[in-house]
Amino acid sequence: MKYMRLNTPKFCLILLLFCFGMQEVNAQKASWIWYPGDFDIYMSNVMQNRRTERGSFFPPFWKMDSHYVLVDFHKEFNLAAAEKVKLYVEGAYNVKIDGQALFGFPKTITIPAGKHKLSLKVYGQANVPAIFVQGKTVVSDNTWLTTFEDKEWIDASGKTSDKSGTTFVNAGTWNLTDPLTPPSKFKLPVTPMAAVKTEKNGAGFVSDFGKETFGFVKLHGLRGKGKLMIYYGESKEEALSTDKCETLDALEIDLSMKKDSVIGLSKAFRYVNCQHEGSVSLDSISMLYEYAPVAEKGSFKSSDVELNKIYDVAKYTFQLNTREFFIDGIKRDRWVWSGDAYQSYLMNYYSFFDAPTVKRTLWAQRGKDPVTAHINTIMDYSFYWFLGIYDYYKFTGDEKFVSEIYPRMKSLMKYINGRQNKNGLLEWMPGDWIFIDWADKLSKEGEVSFEQLLYCRSLETMALCANLAGDVAGAAAYTKHAATLRTKIFDLYWNNDKQALVHSRIDGRQTDNVTRYANMFGIFFDYFTPAQKLAVKQHVLLNDNINKITTPYMRFYELEALCAMGEQAYVLKEMKSYWGGMLNLGATSFWEEYNPAKKDTAHLAMYGRPFGKSLCHAWGASPIYLLGKYYLGVKPLTAGYQTYIIEPSLGGLSWMEGKVPTPEGDIEVYCSNKEIKISAAVGEGKLRFKSSSKPVVKNATVTEISKGLYEIVVKKGVDYSVKYAAVK
Amino acid sequence: MKYMRLNTPKFCLILLLFCFGMQEVNAQKASWIWYPGDFDIYMSNVMQNRRTERGSFFPPFWKMDSHYVLVDFHKEFNLAAAEKVKLYVEGAYNVKIDGQALFGFPKTITIPAGKHKLSLKVYGQANVPAIFVQGKTVVSDNTWLTTFEDKEWIDASGKTSDKSGTTFVNAGTWNLTDPLTPPSKFKLPVTPMAAVKTEKNGAGFVSDFGKETFGFVKLHGLRGKGKLMIYYGESKEEALSTDKCETLDALEIDLSMKKDSVIGLSKAFRYVNCQHEGSVSLDSISMLYEYAPVAEKGSFKSSDVELNKIYDVAKYTFQLNTREFFIDGIKRDRWVWSGDAYQSYLMNYYSFFDAPTVKRTLWAQRGKDPVTAHINTIMDYSFYWFLGIYDYYKFTGDEKFVSEIYPRMKSLMKYINGRQNKNGLLEWMPGDWIFIDWADKLSKEGEVSFEQLLYCRSLETMALCANLAGDVAGAAAYTKHAATLRTKIFDLYWNNDKQALVHSRIDGRQTDNVTRYANMFGIFFDYFTPAQKLAVKQHVLLNDNINKITTPYMRFYELEALCAMGEQAYVLKEMKSYWGGMLNLGATSFWEEYNPAKKDTAHLAMYGRPFGKSLCHAWGASPIYLLGKYYLGVKPLTAGYQTYIIEPSLGGLSWMEGKVPTPEGDIEVYCSNKEIKISAAVGEGKLRFKSSSKPVVKNATVTEISKGLYEIVVKKGVDYSVKYAAVK
């Protein structure tokens, strides 16, 4: 926890580190390695303990885990020639060649030619035990094996046990390829940014950085003795409200000479209100913008200027919340919330396609065994975690990761299964937070249908992942459990009069309440019959008598459900109205909650606090996902886009164009009412579209698969062009 | 891991800290507090990672756990007047009064008069989150409540959840009462000691400290540039064997002026061989003796000078191995081994009676959930851990500790029960070390009877502790399981021909092998019928055809079994021969293993290494226990000596006298052939003795409970004297 206290000798300048790219590490290149998940858990502790609220430290309220403090790493090498190898280690360590310990803490060793086993054992309490091994061919990477208990005892004669039950797993790694920057020194890069406007305010001034931003405020020409107060605001109102703004720094200054300094704890803000006391003076402020250097791979542009702005602001919102992990919002929590992150994963697949950040976030959320609570203490959030893993596999094809994390999936599911009530359903138990959504008077009592749906989907996910991890018996058990539960959900919650799933059961009886949640998830989970789907669309989704959703969080799913039923034109209008509504109010990033019925500064309030609301929340960025998946229409059919489908849907736009990233490159789509152009760098896809006349296709043969519905096969590296007549 | 590298600027001097007493903390006095068990786990990581072998770091091969990194502490106070309170915290923290966070990291706060809740939440990765709160009445102690997940979420209105499922437990504490010495700075005290003799050896010299000792070597008048080699030896042979001694320091010196310095890593030694290279010179060495400041409460003296020497050397051996924890041996492992520590607990009850060291060791061994292996990976060592807890309760009466650790007892027993084979027995599974004892050709194959006996006793212990912890259902289940297993053990292993329990079953059939282990444990577990006991004594314990035991470790139990059957005279001879044998060979502390059949330097070898054997091993000190329990004859009958029995047994001695400590003071015993004198500071005891004529008793009435067996009731604070005629 680096918390700010400004004094000349302790004044800490931020290290500028630009050395981290975002690619996955290749085999032959050395990188720092650790026990898988441990850097992620460690770093999420660092990240999540950076939250402050009006100068008070505000840590999470769930269990934070720790890395394994004692870890063994080894690999066998077969060397053509003796090799000199450099060792960099974070922690106290020993080095063994073929089980023989070397003296002390060697920094360079020579491994003889031939077949040899190199082992390092590292102890670290403060930092994650990690090694960086750099020889010509002997390098540390994720092919090394590691364990947190090697069980290598000896007998009275000195013979090592030969019947060890040790589980070795592949080492965890990322892109930390600088031997002099060990995991504990990891920092996101920063770049200087200037304020766009500064105006006097009382004895001090307020600087406006032009839009929502994040980083470290830099103080220029600071001097004098006394207090300097820094009030941050996502809105000007917040920065000016010295007694109610959510974040601030109170600095004790004692500087006889002018000095430039950077505040040690990063903040989210657009406006910064600086007020000094005593003899303190300050010339101006700027900032060091801190960011995750992810590549912008996905793109979207269309004939609708407002929609393009929505897309751009959504992407900026999402980038600001893409940091060491996918976090919820940059001002307040800066925590790794599973439900929020689940949406970030989906947005990520249509924008940065950054696999490591997904994996880091999944490891961090799950932590270590034993499971003592739901993820973030929230029942629904445990379920989103399962769903996130299967999606990750579907989009990236990274089966290895699923196998690695599968044991922790099993233990979390075991915890959940252990909390079933006598009906095999889940309901509130002490310590559970049933969240669903921020919404007035949303009942969490009894057996809530939404939770059972997520539970069922999670069991299906377990079955799929069990197969990937080679757990055949587990796959069978999870499949059976999921099928039973799915039947039960419809038996217990489907109401023929209401033509919908009801919200809950209390004391074994359906409540009268219908909400959107279970019904919209039922659609894109594909749990309904076609008739049920249509009924639900009419009786719930498009029914204004059903309580409206006021968070972008649940609007995400609501609009997805409508898109999944071909309502792109309706959803486009909704997007323009909802996200466009925020832009009309001056938003430079999208919010945690937006209720068009509210007025003026009421938009800034939440949690009973006038500036409690986050104005830059990851879940506000969902248009990225909707536009990529349901307008450009690109979806993987099999893991890692080995097969995929493209179903462009203009939803009323004259034209649109964009890129959807995949593990092997982009899929590019252009679509107007008359022409579709496709080029893809991956797998084999199907382009499917409706046309009122027979289309003219370049580079492929077209098949009419049903009346007016056409399909062409898309092969990698070929440019396709389709002249067609769009059907209204 | 502080590992030595000697360079002028980095040269580190040892802090001399004498501030730690050994009493348990009282309520009204402030002390550092933490999540229970966490300091113990943290400190055992520090301790156990101090092992080196010829300059290589040598950490344990089992899982090392970590403290909880984020911990909440709170207590409610009802103050007559407002109170100023000082806060000392190890970690980043916040402070709340009645749930309202204070700004920043306050060091002094004022709590208003009336009823208020004070909370601190602390994050610490490197160190154990800990607090020290010092007001007039508001002080940190073990009445505070703590948790590692407070689950204090809020709803959209800002209201805190009111249905939390959080488990709060009483804070852990010890005697760390100095606010300026937080847990991370804890060190055992040291005191300077001089070598008794120094002689030239090659270019350097060898210093002899006169007896086995432990601490930090201090280098006097060090100067020059080059290498200084320090070779340690428990024997002179070891110190002189520069290529085979077990521990050494290789120091790079670069000092232009003479300087005194202390080596940063403590070692065990009697002899220190200093050899320099280059221009390095060194005037002399001394040492800082490091010790646990435990009080010498128990004592024993008798008419036998050799026995007295055995007792004194045993106590010194035991004190050297009583450190932050009860460790196995001071030269080599310095680890917390459960089987070794179990014996240390018993010795401790008859010497220092230091309850905190027992508790620390039990917490440290167990670590955190999930259980992934047996304690120290050894099956038998898991069982000793259970036994140690019940013994702790029996000797101290500390029911609170049993309740605190009971959840971790349950999870370990769950792990063990999950490893039963189809017969409900335990046999080797991958990762298990079946230790039993260091002995040649000791079979660990199949279902070993010794392990089942310990398993059964552990289940009985679980039943007893379940009752103490209020787990009624658990108590019933464990009782039933234990009874079933006990019956099974006799059905399967008792052999009427051999009149003994056989060593093992392989493929469902008894092996032909009889060993002492299960048979001697069966005696003091009281599992045998009186007839079986006598048979086992004759056919196993006193039978030279059964493989002899060569470790003091198992001699402990062998002699205990014989004592339990009244063979004090025989055991006295054995003690004099075995421990006296080591003394005759010049031992100044007792060894890890002693086989009288070996010759000369063969006594120093073990594990295939010429100086591999530890010459100062805790398990070598068992005469402390045997003399207190079976000669002075003092044993608690109910927890904490509320009732107890004294059955002095001279075993051939003319007289003996001594003290046995209890939680409330000592029980003093003098016994000769003619007189017994007793005074006790605790509970109510029974003195039982045989006399060939009617005894004359001062201050009590005597009852003849059977022919020639007399008893008097011993009340606290009364001096008793019995004139009697001892029966040979």
Side-chain angles (χ1 to χ4, degrees):
Chain A
M1 178 62 191
K2 207 182 289 162
Y3 188 67
M4 192 58 199
R5 221 190 123 79
L6 212 64
N7 267 325
T8 316
K10 289 173 195 161
F11 209 86
C12 58
L13 266 173
I14 301 299
L15 260 167
L16 303 180
L17 292 174
F18 293 94
C19 51
F20 299 104
M22 278 281 153
Q23 304 78 28
E24 292 261 50
V25 175
N26 297 321
Q28 279 298 344
K29 201 176 165 190
S31 73
W32 285 94
I33 61 173
W34 46 77
Y35 192 89
D38 270 6
F39 172 70
D40 320 79
I41 288 168
Y42 163 88
M43 187 47 67
S44 78
N45 287 356
V46 172
M47 169 98 211
Q48 297 187 92
N49 282 303
R50 284 192 194 126
R51 178 176 181 177
T52 58
E53 193 173 289
R54 292 193 61 77
S56 298
F57 173 46
F58 197 130
F61 48 79
W62 51 79
K63 181 179 67 145
M64 310 218 82
D65 288 300
S66 188
H67 53 268
Y68 292 113
V69 298
L70 181 62
V71 175
D72 187 88
F73 302 91
H74 77 264
K75 187 177 175 182
E76 287 188 4
F77 294 92
N78 199 345
L79 302 183
E83 194 168 317
K84 202 170 158 183
V85 176
K86 286 188 180 176
L87 306 175
Y88 304 83
V89 181
E90 187 134 64
Y93 65 102
N94 65 27
V95 184
K96 290 182 196 163
I97 298 177
D98 302 327
Q100 197 64 43
L102 306 184
F103 178 80
F105 301 97
K107 293 196 161 58
T108 307
I109 59 170
T110 300
I111 305 177
K115 204 170 172 183
H116 298 288
K117 179 176 170 182
L118 175 60
S119 318
L120 287 92
K121 193 159 175 180
V122 187
Y123 166 60
Q125 179 68 61
N127 302 317
V128 177
I131 63 169
F132 186 100
V133 176
Q134 182 71 70
K136 198 178 151 196
T137 65
V138 175
V139 296
S140 50
D141 59 25
N142 62 12
T143 63
W144 281 58
L145 294 175
T146 176
T147 183
F148 56 85
E149 49 179 0
D150 54 47
K151 300 182 182 174
E152 292 229 339
W153 63 80
I154 57 171
D155 68 15
S157 75
K159 188 181 144 300
T160 306
S161 56
D162 49 9
K163 299 197 289 185
S164 165
T166 305
T167 305
F168 291 98
V169 297
N170 282 107
T173 184
W174 183 28
N175 62 353
L176 276 58
T177 54
D178 175 6
L180 301 180
T181 309
S184 70
K185 297 279 183 293
F186 171 77
K187 281 193 172 68
L188 292 177
V190 297
T191 186
M193 295 270 204
V196 298
K197 196 168 81 179
T198 293
E199 55 190 41
K200 258 195 81 65
N201 172 42
F205 59 82
V206 181
S207 289
D208 175 7
F209 286 83
K211 61 179 177 181
E212 176 84 18
T213 189
F214 185 90
F216 304 88
V217 162
K218 185 168 179 179
L219 307 165
H220 297 271
L222 180 63
R223 174 175 178 175
K225 190 175 164 92
K227 200 175 253 186
L228 175 63
M229 297 297 302
I230 311 280
Y231 304 101
Y232 299 88
E234 291 191 310
S235 62
K236 193 169 181 181
E237 290 87 344
E238 184 180 9
L240 291 177
S241 175
T242 57
D243 62 336
K244 293 290 180 189
C245 67
E246 293 275 311
T247 58
L248 56 83
D249 281 307
L251 312 174
E252 291 295 336
I253 309 300
D254 188 1
L255 285 168
S256 54
M257 305 264 289
K258 276 200 174 185
K259 190 166 173 169
D260 293 357
S261 314
V262 177
I263 291 181
L265 185 63
S266 54
K267 300 281 191 324
F269 54 87
R270 172 173 169 175
Y271 299 91
V272 180
N273 176 9
C274 303
Q275 299 295 326
H276 49 263
E277 293 172 11
S279 68
V280 172
S281 67
L282 177 65
D283 293 344
S284 64
I285 62 167
S286 67
M287 72 174 294
L288 297 178
Y289 174 69
E290 191 196 47
Y291 62 99
V294 287
E296 287 209 25
K297 294 174 183 165
S299 67
F300 180 85
K301 206 172 171 186
S302 75
S303 52
D304 187 312
V305 176
E306 184 183 37
L307 185 65
N308 296 349
K309 177 113 196 258
I310 289 171
Y311 179 84
D312 290 344
V313 171
K315 195 128 119 193
Y316 182 58
T317 301
F318 183 51
Q319 167 130 34
L320 282 170
N321 284 290
T322 300
R323 315 203 63 80
E324 290 89 342
F325 302 91
F326 290 118
I327 59 168
D328 63 327
I330 59 175
K331 174 170 78 171
R332 212 186 44 227
D333 298 10
R334 304 162 66 163
W335 288 347
V336 185
W337 290 97
S338 173
D340 306 50
Y342 178 63
Q343 298 196 344
S344 291
Y345 304 151
L346 295 172
M347 299 175 206
N348 174 56
Y349 300 129
Y350 288 92
S351 53
F352 310 129
F353 207 88
D354 189 78
T357 309
V358 179
K359 290 193 286 182
R360 275 203 307 283
T361 306
L362 288 165
W363 279 121
Q365 279 161 5
R366 180 56 187 80
K368 292 269 166 83
D369 287 338
V371 179
T372 59
H374 284 296
I375 291 182
N376 309 123
T377 75
I378 304 177
M379 188 190 284
D380 5 335
Y381 278 32
S382 285
F383 297 131
Y384 292 122
W385 183 80
F386 291 105
L387 275 50
I389 293 169
Y390 191 71
D391 281 355
Y392 172 78
Y393 170 67
K394 196 170 66 185
F395 282 95
T396 66
D398 181 356
E399 196 171 319
K400 185 170 161 290
F401 173 72
V402 176
S403 296
E404 282 173 357
I405 208 161
Y406 180 70
R408 294 193 203 177
M409 297 177 75
K410 275 188 89 161
S411 48
L412 177 57
M413 188 50 87
K414 191 175 171 189
Y415 172 82
I416 293 168
N417 285 339
R419 293 171 83 83
Q420 295 173 91
N421 69 12
K422 64 181 194 301
N423 303 320
L425 300 177
L426 294 173
E427 60 183 314
W428 181 87
M429 284 177 72
D432 294 353
W433 181 3
I434 314 269
F435 174 60
I436 309 175
D437 193 15
W438 294 128
D440 286 345
K441 295 178 195 135
L442 180 59
S443 169
K444 321 283 175 81
E445 298 300 308
E447 298 155 338
V448 178
S449 58
F450 179 69
E451 300 293 338
Q452 320 310 323
L453 242 78
L454 288 181
Y455 184 23
C456 185
R457 190 59 155 192
S458 299
L459 287 165
E460 291 167 359
T461 300
M462 283 305 296
L464 292 162
C465 292
N467 276 322
L468 292 173
D471 176 10
V472 179
Y478 292 124
T479 302
K480 192 175 162 195
H481 189 172
T484 310
L485 181 56
R486 193 156 151 183
T487 305
K488 195 181 288 181
I489 287 170
F490 280 84
D491 288 349
L492 298 181
Y493 293 101
W494 181 260
N495 185 308
N496 259 327
D497 296 339
K498 298 179 192 292
Q499 288 290 295
L501 295 168
V502 298
H503 180 73
S504 57
R505 285 167 24 108
I506 293 180
D507 297 331
R509 279 203 309 248
Q510 283 189 1
T511 56
D512 203 37
N513 195 9
V514 173
T515 55
R516 292 171 192 262
Y517 308 105
N519 289 295
M520 66 205 194
F521 274 67
I523 287 175
F524 54 77
F525 284 175
D526 215 12
Y527 280 3
F528 292 123
T529 62
Q532 283 174 325
K533 257 189 205 178
L534 287 170
V536 160
K537 181 164 115 181
Q538 178 144 0
H539 289 87
V540 184
L541 298 190
L542 302 177
N543 178 356
D544 281 348
N545 292 326
I546 304 289
N547 254 357
K548 279 199 174 160
I549 285 168
T550 61
T551 58
Y553 175 55
M554 276 292 147
R555 292 236 80 186
F556 182 110
Y557 300 116
E558 184 183 31
L559 299 180
E560 170 151 36
L562 288 163
C563 285
M565 298 191 66
E567 295 291 338
Q568 271 78 350
Y570 175 89
V571 170
L572 184 60
K573 280 188 207 111
E574 288 291 309
M575 267 202 272
K576 283 165 66 73
S577 149
Y578 192 78
W579 279 268
M582 285 188 259
L583 292 181
N584 289 340
L585 290 170
T588 59
S589 56
F590 291 126
W591 306 347
E592 182 174 16
E593 188 251 321
Y594 169 54
N595 184 347
K598 287 185 182 166
K599 292 269 177 261
D600 303 329
T601 55
H603 284 300
L604 307 175
M606 205 164 169
Y607 309 109
R609 307 195 302 265
F611 307 104
K613 189 184 291 173
S614 160
L615 299 189
C616 180
H617 228 64
W619 72 28
S622 56
I624 298 169
Y625 170 67
L626 297 172
L627 292 169
K629 183 168 179 187
Y630 293 105
Y631 291 79
L632 296 179
V634 179
K635 288 170 280 233
L637 290 177
T638 52
Y641 280 94
Q642 287 314 298
T643 66
Y644 55 91
I645 192 159
I646 309 172
E647 295 178 290
S649 176
L650 284 162
L653 296 165
S654 308
W655 60 267
M656 62 182 176
E657 65 181 3
K659 292 179 190 174
V660 172
T662 79
E664 294 171 38
D666 299 333
I667 296 171
E668 296 184 37
V669 177
Y670 169 87
C671 179
S672 71
N673 287 318
K674 295 172 189 158
E675 188 178 14
I676 301 171
K677 287 192 279 190
I678 302 289
S679 93
V682 68
E684 185 175 292
K686 283 176 188 163
L687 170 67
R688 200 175 283 169
F689 57 96
K690 286 183 185 158
S691 180
S692 54
S693 62
K694 186 168 164 55
V696 180
V697 176
K698 204 174 77 183
N699 288 335
T701 49
V702 66
T703 314
E704 187 171 15
I705 55 172
S706 67
K707 176 79 185 144
L709 183 65
Y710 296 91
E711 196 174 280
I712 69 168
V713 172
V714 175
K715 291 191 186 282
K716 137 164 103 171
V718 182
D719 291 338
Y720 299 93
S721 153
V722 176
K723 307 280 188 192
Y724 79 121
V727 179
K728 171 62 204 135
Chain B
M1 178 62 191
K2 206 181 291 161
Y3 188 65
M4 192 57 198
R5 223 190 121 79
L6 212 64
N7 267 325
T8 316
K10 290 175 194 160
F11 210 85
C12 56
L13 266 174
I14 300 299
L15 262 165
L16 302 182
L17 292 173
F18 292 96
C19 50
F20 300 103
M22 278 281 153
Q23 303 77 27
E24 290 260 52
V25 175
N26 296 323
Q28 280 298 345
K29 199 175 167 192
S31 73
W32 285 95
I33 59 173
W34 47 76
Y35 192 89
D38 270 8
F39 172 70
D40 320 79
I41 288 168
Y42 163 88
M43 186 47 67
S44 79
N45 287 357
V46 171
M47 168 97 212
Q48 298 186 92
N49 282 302
R50 285 192 194 127
R51 177 176 182 178
T52 57
E53 193 173 290
R54 292 194 61 77
S56 298
F57 172 46
F58 197 129
F61 47 79
W62 51 80
K63 180 178 69 144
M64 310 216 83
D65 289 300
S66 189
H67 53 268
Y68 291 114
V69 297
L70 181 62
V71 175
D72 187 87
F73 302 91
H74 78 264
K75 187 178 175 182
E76 287 187 4
F77 295 92
N78 199 345
L79 302 183
E83 193 168 318
K84 203 168 158 183
V85 175
K86 286 188 180 178
L87 306 175
Y88 304 83
V89 181
E90 186 134 65
Y93 65 102
N94 65 27
V95 185
K96 289 182 196 164
I97 298 176
D98 302 326
Q100 198 64 42
L102 306 184
F103 178 82
F105 300 98
K107 294 198 161 57
T108 307
I109 59 170
T110 301
I111 304 177
K115 205 170 171 182
H116 298 286
K117 179 177 170 183
L118 176 62
S119 318
L120 287 92
K121 193 160 173 179
V122 187
Y123 166 61
Q125 178 70 62
N127 302 319
V128 176
I131 63 169
F132 186 99
V133 177
Q134 181 71 70
K136 198 178 149 198
T137 65
V138 176
V139 296
S140 50
D141 59 25
N142 62 11
T143 63
W144 282 57
L145 294 175
T146 177
T147 182
F148 55 85
E149 49 179 0
D150 53 48
K151 299 182 181 173
E152 293 231 336
W153 62 81
I154 56 171
D155 68 14
S157 75
K159 190 180 141 301
T160 305
S161 56
D162 49 10
K163 300 196 289 186
S164 163
T166 306
T167 305
F168 291 99
V169 297
N170 282 106
T173 185
W174 184 28
N175 62 352
L176 278 56
T177 54
D178 175 6
L180 302 179
T181 309
S184 69
K185 297 278 184 294
F186 171 77
K187 281 193 174 67
L188 292 178
V190 296
T191 187
M193 296 271 204
V196 297
K197 195 167 81 178
T198 294
E199 55 190 40
K200 259 193 81 65
N201 172 41
F205 59 82
V206 182
S207 290
D208 175 7
F209 286 83
K211 61 180 177 180
E212 176 84 18
T213 189
F214 185 90
F216 305 88
V217 163
K218 185 167 180 180
L219 308 166
H220 297 271
L222 180 63
R223 174 177 179 173
K225 191 176 164 93
K227 200 175 253 184
L228 174 64
M229 297 299 300
I230 311 281
Y231 305 100
Y232 299 88
E234 290 191 310
S235 63
K236 192 168 182 184
E237 290 87 343
E238 184 179 11
L240 291 177
S241 176
T242 57
D243 62 337
K244 292 290 181 190
C245 65
E246 292 276 310
T247 58
L248 56 84
D249 281 307
L251 312 174
E252 291 295 337
I253 309 299
D254 188 0
L255 285 168
S256 54
M257 304 264 288
K258 275 199 175 185
K259 192 168 171 164
D260 293 356
S261 313
V262 178
I263 291 181
L265 185 62
S266 55
K267 300 280 192 321
F269 53 87
R270 171 173 172 177
Y271 299 90
V272 180
N273 176 10
C274 303
Q275 298 296 326
H276 48 263
E277 294 173 10
S279 68
V280 172
S281 66
L282 176 64
D283 293 345
S284 64
I285 64 167
S286 68
M287 71 174 295
L288 298 178
Y289 174 68
E290 190 196 48
Y291 63 99
V294 286
E296 288 210 25
K297 294 176 183 165
S299 68
F300 180 87
K301 207 172 169 185
S302 74
S303 53
D304 187 313
V305 176
E306 184 183 38
L307 186 65
N308 296 349
K309 177 115 197 254
I310 289 171
Y311 179 84
D312 291 344
V313 172
K315 196 128 120 194
Y316 182 60
T317 301
F318 183 51
Q319 167 129 31
L320 283 170
N321 285 289
T322 300
R323 315 202 63 79
E324 292 89 342
F325 303 90
F326 291 117
I327 59 168
D328 62 328
I330 58 175
K331 174 170 79 171
R332 211 184 46 226
D333 298 11
R334 305 161 64 163
W335 289 347
V336 185
W337 290 98
S338 173
D340 305 49
Y342 177 63
Q343 299 195 344
S344 291
Y345 304 151
L346 295 173
M347 297 177 207
N348 174 57
Y349 300 130
Y350 288 91
S351 52
F352 310 129
F353 206 88
D354 189 79
T357 308
V358 179
K359 290 193 286 181
R360 275 202 308 283
T361 306
L362 287 165
W363 279 120
Q365 279 162 4
R366 180 56 187 79
K368 292 269 165 85
D369 287 337
V371 180
T372 58
H374 284 295
I375 290 181
N376 310 121
T377 75
I378 303 177
M379 188 189 285
D380 5 335
Y381 277 31
S382 286
F383 298 131
Y384 292 122
W385 184 79
F386 291 105
L387 274 49
I389 292 170
Y390 191 73
D391 282 352
Y392 172 77
Y393 170 68
K394 197 170 65 185
F395 282 95
T396 67
D398 180 356
E399 195 170 322
K400 184 169 163 287
F401 173 72
V402 176
S403 295
E404 282 173 357
I405 209 161
Y406 181 69
R408 294 192 203 179
M409 297 177 74
K410 275 188 90 160
S411 48
L412 177 57
M413 188 50 86
K414 191 175 172 191
Y415 172 83
I416 293 169
N417 285 339
R419 294 169 84 81
Q420 293 173 91
N421 69 12
K422 63 179 193 306
N423 303 320
L425 301 176
L426 294 173
E427 60 183 313
W428 181 86
M429 285 176 72
D432 294 352
W433 181 3
I434 314 268
F435 174 60
I436 309 175
D437 192 16
W438 294 128
D440 285 346
K441 295 177 194 135
L442 180 59
S443 169
K444 320 283 175 81
E445 298 300 308
E447 298 154 337
V448 177
S449 59
F450 178 68
E451 301 292 339
Q452 321 309 324
L453 241 77
L454 289 181
Y455 184 22
C456 185
R457 191 60 156 189
S458 299
L459 288 165
E460 290 167 359
T461 300
M462 283 304 296
L464 292 163
C465 292
N467 277 322
L468 293 173
D471 176 10
V472 179
Y478 292 124
T479 302
K480 191 175 163 195
H481 189 170
T484 310
L485 182 56
R486 193 156 150 183
T487 304
K488 196 181 287 179
I489 287 170
F490 281 84
D491 288 350
L492 298 182
Y493 293 101
W494 181 260
N495 186 307
N496 260 325
D497 297 340
K498 298 178 193 292
Q499 288 290 295
L501 295 167
V502 299
H503 180 74
S504 57
R505 284 168 24 108
I506 294 180
D507 298 332
R509 280 204 307 248
Q510 283 190 1
T511 56
D512 202 37
N513 196 6
V514 172
T515 55
R516 293 171 191 262
Y517 309 104
N519 290 295
M520 65 204 194
F521 274 66
I523 286 174
F524 53 78
F525 284 175
D526 213 12
Y527 281 2
F528 292 124
T529 62
Q532 282 174 324
K533 257 189 207 178
L534 287 171
V536 161
K537 181 165 116 180
Q538 176 143 4
H539 289 87
V540 184
L541 299 189
L542 302 177
N543 178 356
D544 281 348
N545 293 324
I546 303 289
N547 253 359
K548 279 201 174 161
I549 285 168
T550 62
T551 58
Y553 175 53
M554 277 291 148
R555 291 235 82 184
F556 182 110
Y557 300 115
E558 185 184 30
L559 299 181
E560 170 153 33
L562 287 163
C563 286
M565 299 191 66
E567 295 289 340
Q568 271 76 350
Y570 176 88
V571 170
L572 185 61
K573 280 187 207 113
E574 288 292 308
M575 267 201 273
K576 285 167 63 76
S577 149
Y578 192 77
W579 278 269
M582 285 188 258
L583 292 180
N584 290 340
L585 290 170
T588 60
S589 57
F590 290 126
W591 306 347
E592 181 176 16
E593 187 250 324
Y594 169 55
N595 185 345
K598 286 185 183 167
K599 291 267 177 262
D600 303 329
T601 56
H603 284 300
L604 307 174
M606 205 167 169
Y607 309 109
R609 306 194 303 265
F611 307 105
K613 188 183 294 174
S614 160
L615 298 190
C616 180
H617 228 63
W619 72 28
S622 56
I624 298 170
Y625 170 67
L626 297 171
L627 292 170
K629 184 169 178 185
Y630 293 104
Y631 291 80
L632 297 179
V634 178
K635 290 169 279 234
L637 290 177
T638 51
Y641 281 95
Q642 287 315 299
T643 66
Y644 55 90
I645 191 159
I646 309 172
E647 295 178 292
S649 176
L650 284 162
L653 297 166
S654 308
W655 61 267
M656 63 182 175
E657 65 183 359
K659 292 179 190 174
V660 172
T662 80
E664 294 171 37
D666 298 334
I667 296 171
E668 296 184 37
V669 177
Y670 169 87
C671 179
S672 71
N673 286 320
K674 295 174 191 158
E675 187 177 15
I676 301 172
K677 286 190 279 191
I678 302 289
S679 93
V682 67
E684 184 174 295
K686 283 177 188 161
L687 169 67
R688 199 175 285 169
F689 56 96
K690 287 185 185 156
S691 180
S692 52
S693 61
K694 186 165 162 54
V696 181
V697 176
K698 204 174 75 182
N699 289 333
T701 48
V702 67
T703 313
E704 185 171 17
I705 55 174
S706 67
K707 176 82 185 140
L709 183 64
Y710 297 89
E711 195 174 281
I712 68 168
V713 172
V714 175
K715 293 192 184 278
K716 138 163 101 169
V718 181
D719 291 338
Y720 299 92
S721 151
V722 176
K723 308 278 188 193
Y724 80 121
V727 179
K728 170 67 201 133

